[in-house]
Amino acid sequence: MGNVTITIARHFGSGGKTIGQMLAKDLGIKCYEKQIIKMASDDSGINEALFNQADEKLKRTPLFFGKSKGEYKGKLIAPDSEEFVSDHNLFNYQAKIIRELAEKESCVIIGRAADYVLKDNPNVVSVFVHASKEYCVRQAIERRAYTGKDVEKFVERTDKYRSDFYRYYTGQEWTDARNYDLCLNSERLGFEGTMEAIEAYIKVRFGKLPNE
């Protein structure tokens, strides 16, 4: 079977990150999210702060980025180029790390448009975890994911950022079900049930789980 990579995109508050971590623990494999930025920084020699600044710039100017459809091609820009620290090359280095992780080991990768980066890899299971806005807001409050007054607006802004990020770097729509193998409603299934649904799919598709 080889390595299996499970990518998880998720609505903020749907529990997608928690479900990914639960899945990784249950399968005895690693889960990667923000570590990818640190690894991309180490690999490229580009200051980690620049990766975070690119994300923050997208959050602050969503209209500008929303109009740009720069599809990821995978080619790294040389250090002697003026574009070496451009937004797209920073993403290219993150994508390089994602591809290397998928080749090296079975793992779970949260966000970073990993499903698109690995779309031609036959051993990838791409998942989108979603739930109603009301459920996501309740979860954000209960889990203290946001302590400000207007939680609903924060949930909306975060999902808008994730959608813009995906569109900007892939040219695709984040919530398009055709981009994923599974779209699962965590509100209906619960966290444990969503994890079990992913494992059931892996077992049907590959005949066994990565830890078997």
Side-chain angles (χ1 to χ4, degrees), residues 44-46 77-87 89-90 93:
S44 64
I46 299 171
I77 298 172
D80 59 354
S81 169
E82 292 181 358
E83 296 296 309
F84 181 61
V85 294
S86 66
D87 297 334
N89 202 43
L90 295 176
Y93 270 102

Side-chain angles (χ1 to χ4, degrees), residues 1 23-29 106 199 208-212:
M1 166 171 89
L23 179 65
K25 184 177 181 180
D26 197 55
L27 295 178
I29 60 179
S106 292
E199 290 184 348
K208 62 179 181 178
L209 295 173
N211 60 351
E212 293 180 339

Side-chain angles (χ1 to χ4, degrees), residues 141-208:
I141 294 171
E142 290 173 10
R143 293 173 176 268
R144 297 184 179 180
Y146 179 68
T147 56
K149 292 182 179 179
D150 202 332
V151 182
E152 184 173 341
K153 284 188 178 178
F154 179 77
V155 169
E156 290 175 353
R157 285 199 306 269
T158 304
D159 281 347
K160 178 68 166 57
Y161 157 69
R162 290 176 179 175
S163 179
D164 289 343
F165 179 97
Y166 195 89
R167 185 186 304 112
Y168 182 59
Y169 291 115
T170 74
Q172 303 291 316
E173 292 302 318
W174 181 57
T175 55
D176 188 337
R178 292 171 294 185
N179 293 329
Y180 307 97
D181 296 305
L182 294 173
C183 293
L184 299 171
N185 188 329
S186 59
E187 182 178 8
R188 301 276 178 83
L189 295 174
F191 289 8
E192 189 80 22
T194 303
M195 181 193 75
E196 290 173 357
I198 297 169
E199 290 184 348
Y201 176 87
I202 294 171
K203 199 152 190 175
V204 168
R205 181 168 158 188
F206 297 107
K208 62 179 181 178

